[in-house]
Amino acid sequence: METMKRLGGTAGMLMVIAGCGVVYFMPDRSMWGWILTGAGLLPLIVATWLNRDDLLNLAKGRPFRHGANAIFYSVVVLGIVGAVDFLAVRHNHRFDLTETGRHSVSPQTVQILESLDKQGQEITLVGFFSPAQGPARQKAIDLMEEYRYHDARIEVKTLDPFRSPAEVKGYGVEEDGTVIVASKTGEARISPSRDGGLTEENLTNAFIKATAKSKKVICVTTGHGERQIAQSAPEGFQQATEALQKENFDVREVKLLEGGGVPADCSSVVVPGATHTFLQPEVDALEKYLAGGGRALVLTEPRTPTGLETLLARYGLKTGNDFIVDVNPMAKLLGGSPAAPVVYEYGAHQITKDFEGLATIFPTVESVETTTPVEPDVTTLALAHTSAQSWGETGELADRVSFDAGKDKPGPLNIAALAVRKHAGATPPADPNAKDDAAGAQSVQDGGKETRLVLFGDSDYAANSAFMMAGNKDLFLNTIAWLNERTDLISIRPKTAAAQPVVMTGLQARLLKWYSLGLSPLIVVVIGVGVFLRRRRL
């Protein structure tokens, strides 16, 4: 009995702990764990009864009361922490306090994910990463989980290609580090060799492609000195073309004379900086296309006739036949020059709804005016304009120019405008990619009731040399998205995160070193000694 009194409690406690461990870590043998737990409770209860007098005396002592208070407050604190943790899990919100928002996704990504969530789209993200791809795998998981934060329907899986050969074969994966976006509509994949690794831009574009119900065709005119879609030189249109293709648009050049007009599958037409005039049959083809509910974007160059002036005037749009000069000091701060205005004031329209505080740069741009339309039911709107310190230079653009009152046009001046004509009964261009999708076909039919036309007084802003400057890319892509009724794409797109190194002087580095290695530990030791001495006096 004396042995049970001395050792029964310890032995019983060890048996209970061991039994609980078996139940938790070996669920297939949980029955033995419960037996061991029950067997341990018996000596624990007997030992407690035999030591009841000692336990009662101990409970009356001062150390016991202090210990009980400590345990009580610890339980209270743990309860509060548990409640907060429970609420945080049920109502999860993230806050990115970094200056560039590097730990959160862009407004465009959020907009697309919210749109897919409302549609009830179920998306599966599958990443194939071998153990050698450890850092890349963790980066991919962090990014994909950020997407899942905005849309709980997204399922995220990362697989080791060596341990999942069936999935590798099923998805046709040929490269380590491949990420696949799969939906009921389709599938898109990101491979390191082709796409340069997983980035937010690549992943968002993969979402767009995997969930698209139809593919819009952008027809770019050629044969009039326009910018070429495959040209990589500074004056080319290659970057704009690749950006459109990433957002699931099909881009191709068309010759209006050879095809007998605008091809039937063109969802919109782009005229990128023609330097030679269109022939009358081509103008007639574009006029017929717009009259049937077509969509067009015309990018002109200063004082360069295109032959489309009469057609544009029918919809209340006109170029100013001038050069815009802007001497606003803000333009210099943002990297512009008087001949390349920096624009940061926009009209109230869906294309520019997120452009507050975002600049766009237009090298050698002419003004755009809105006039009284000839076509019925046409409304016009200025899309962007320069500052009050600008003017439209009607003379030659020399090294030194000045505003000539009564001759030059005072600012602010519009550099882009749009026209919309609502009409019934028009037959829109057919989209062969939408014929198998009822919702997509209805969208096309609805689009035929509205003609959309956008005019910019500059094509350089969308050329390779300026496409990635400031908000130029977003303005161009938003315009194309609006023309093609892809409102889910109208937003500010992901930006490449730039490194932000901490630059310190030698003195600052030494102070940080001594604070971390010396002062900080010393403060902890002093506080600990103070607490120890105070407890001894109590």
Side-chain angles (χ1 to χ4, degrees):
M1 189 62 67
E2 187 64 27
T3 302
M4 177 60 73
K5 182 178 180 180
R6 288 187 299 104
L7 302 178
T10 303
M13 183 62 71
L14 293 175
M15 292 173 67
V16 169
I17 294 173
C20 293
V22 172
V23 172
Y24 184 80
F25 294 105
M26 304 172 67
D28 55 327
R29 299 184 181 181
S30 59
M31 182 183 68
W32 294 105
W34 290 116
I35 293 175
L36 186 59
T37 301
L41 288 175
L42 181 60
L44 183 60
I45 294 172
V46 172
T48 302
W49 175 258
L50 295 177
N51 291 281
R52 61 187 183 278
D53 294 334
D54 296 335
L55 292 174
L56 288 173
N57 293 331
L58 180 63
K60 296 176 182 179
R62 188 174 180 180
F64 179 82
R65 291 198 302 272
H66 285 296
N69 286 335
I71 293 174
F72 173 75
Y73 287 119
S74 298
V75 171
V76 170
V77 171
L78 290 175
I80 294 174
V81 171
V84 171
D85 186 60
F86 174 77
L87 293 175
V89 171
R90 295 293 298 271
H91 306 280
N92 186 18
H93 293 281
R94 297 182 181 180
F95 300 94
D96 188 354
L97 301 179
T98 58
E99 181 180 1
T100 58
R102 62 186 306 167
H103 299 303
S104 56
V105 293
S106 68
Q108 186 203 35
T109 298
V110 174
Q111 183 169 293
I112 290 173
L113 293 177
E114 290 177 349
S115 174
L116 295 177
D117 190 24
K118 291 177 181 178
Q119 297 172 16
Q121 285 266 23
E122 295 182 358
I123 312 293
T124 301
L125 297 179
V126 186
F128 291 87
F129 297 93
S130 67
Q133 293 275 342
R137 176 180 178 274
Q138 187 57 51
K139 180 181 177 181
I141 291 175
D142 293 341
L143 181 59
M144 291 189 291
E145 287 294 338
E146 183 66 28
Y147 278 61
R148 194 156 73 98
Y149 167 71
H150 293 282
D151 185 358
R153 294 176 181 268
I154 296 176
E155 181 183 0
V156 176
K157 296 191 295 185
T158 54
L159 304 174
D160 184 345
F162 299 112
R163 296 186 177 183
S164 307
E167 286 80 0
V168 170
K169 185 176 180 181
Y171 283 105
V173 176
E174 298 179 352
E175 186 176 359
D176 191 9
T178 298
V179 176
I180 296 174
V181 181
S183 71
K184 293 181 180 179
T185 307
E187 177 185 294
R189 62 185 60 208
I190 304 167
S191 62
S193 60
R194 184 190 66 217
D195 304 304
L198 183 65
T199 63
E200 182 190 347
E201 182 180 8
N202 290 339
L203 189 55
T204 298
N205 290 331
F207 267 75
I208 295 171
K209 293 177 181 178
T211 58
K213 296 178 181 178
S214 62
K215 196 170 187 177
K216 303 288 187 178
V217 180
I218 311 299
C219 292
V220 182
T221 62
T222 187
H224 315 88
E226 295 98 331
R227 301 182 184 278
Q228 303 299 302
I229 63 175
Q231 188 177 9
S232 59
E235 66 274 10
F237 218 58
Q238 185 183 49
Q239 290 189 20
T241 300
E242 292 176 350
L244 288 171
Q245 291 171 343
K246 287 180 179 180
E247 296 199 348
N248 205 38
F249 289 104
D250 187 11
V251 184
R252 69 169 183 261
E253 292 181 338
V254 294
K255 295 181 178 180
L256 299 179
L257 284 180
E258 291 184 1
V262 178
D265 61 344
C266 292
S267 61
S268 61
V269 174
V270 177
V271 182
T275 56
H276 296 77
T277 59
F278 282 69
L279 300 177
Q280 191 57 45
E282 297 175 305
V283 177
D284 294 340
L286 287 173
E287 184 174 354
K288 180 180 178 181
Y289 170 74
L290 291 174
R295 315 294 171 85
L297 169 62
V298 179
L299 309 176
T300 65
E301 281 298 305
R303 300 181 184 176
T304 305
T306 62
L308 302 176
E309 289 76 17
T310 302
L311 175 59
L312 293 171
R314 294 184 63 86
Y315 289 88
L317 301 178
K318 178 186 177 182
T319 55
N321 194 33
D322 55 12
F323 286 96
I324 293 182
V325 178
D326 194 343
V327 293
N328 184 3
M330 183 63 70
K332 295 182 179 180
L333 293 176
L334 295 175
S337 69
V342 176
V343 173
Y344 50 90
E345 297 179 8
Y346 307 92
H349 190 268
Q350 194 172 21
I351 293 175
T352 55
K353 63 183 177 66
D354 297 320
F355 273 56
E356 184 177 356
L358 183 62
T360 46
I361 302 175
F362 296 86
T364 57
V365 58
E366 66 179 335
S367 63
V368 170
E369 302 174 13
T370 56
T371 61
T372 303
V374 176
E375 296 288 340
D377 302 320
V378 173
T379 57
T380 59
L381 174 71
L383 197 60
H385 56 271
T386 58
S387 70
Q389 287 77 37
S390 64
W391 71 87
E393 179 63 43
T394 56
E396 293 298 325
L397 191 63
D399 292 337
R400 292 180 177 273
V401 293
S402 59
F403 175 69
D404 298 324
K407 183 179 180 182
D408 296 333
K409 304 172 187 176
L413 299 171
N414 300 326
I415 53 92
L418 57 86
V420 177
R421 180 191 176 191
K422 295 184 180 295
H423 52 97
T427 302
D431 185 353
N433 296 314
K435 63 183 179 181
D436 295 329
D437 182 73
Q442 182 63 41
S443 175
V444 173
Q445 292 296 330
D446 292 342
K449 298 179 181 179
E450 187 174 276
T451 296
R452 296 182 177 183
L453 177 62
V454 182
L455 172 64
F456 277 81
D458 178 38
S459 65
D460 294 320
Y461 91 98
N464 295 335
S465 57
F467 187 68
M468 299 304 295
M469 291 182 180
N472 289 15
K473 175 181 176 181
D474 291 316
L475 182 60
F476 175 78
L477 294 180
N478 281 5
T479 303
I480 295 294
W482 177 75
L483 287 172
N484 291 273
E485 298 186 53
R486 288 301 307 272
T487 55
D488 56 318
L489 301 181
I490 298 178
S491 187
I492 305 301
R493 285 149 186 82
K495 306 298 181 186
T496 303
Q500 292 181 303
V502 178
V503 180
M504 295 185 293
T505 65
L507 177 60
Q508 291 172 333
R510 289 192 295 272
L511 289 176
L512 180 62
K513 174 182 177 181
W514 286 112
Y515 174 79
S516 303
L517 300 179
L519 184 59
S520 182
L522 181 61
I523 292 174
V524 174
V525 170
V526 171
I527 293 174
V529 171
V531 171
F532 173 75
L533 295 176
R534 180 171 177 80
R535 288 178 63 88
R536 286 194 62 182
R537 290 196 297 267
L538 293 177

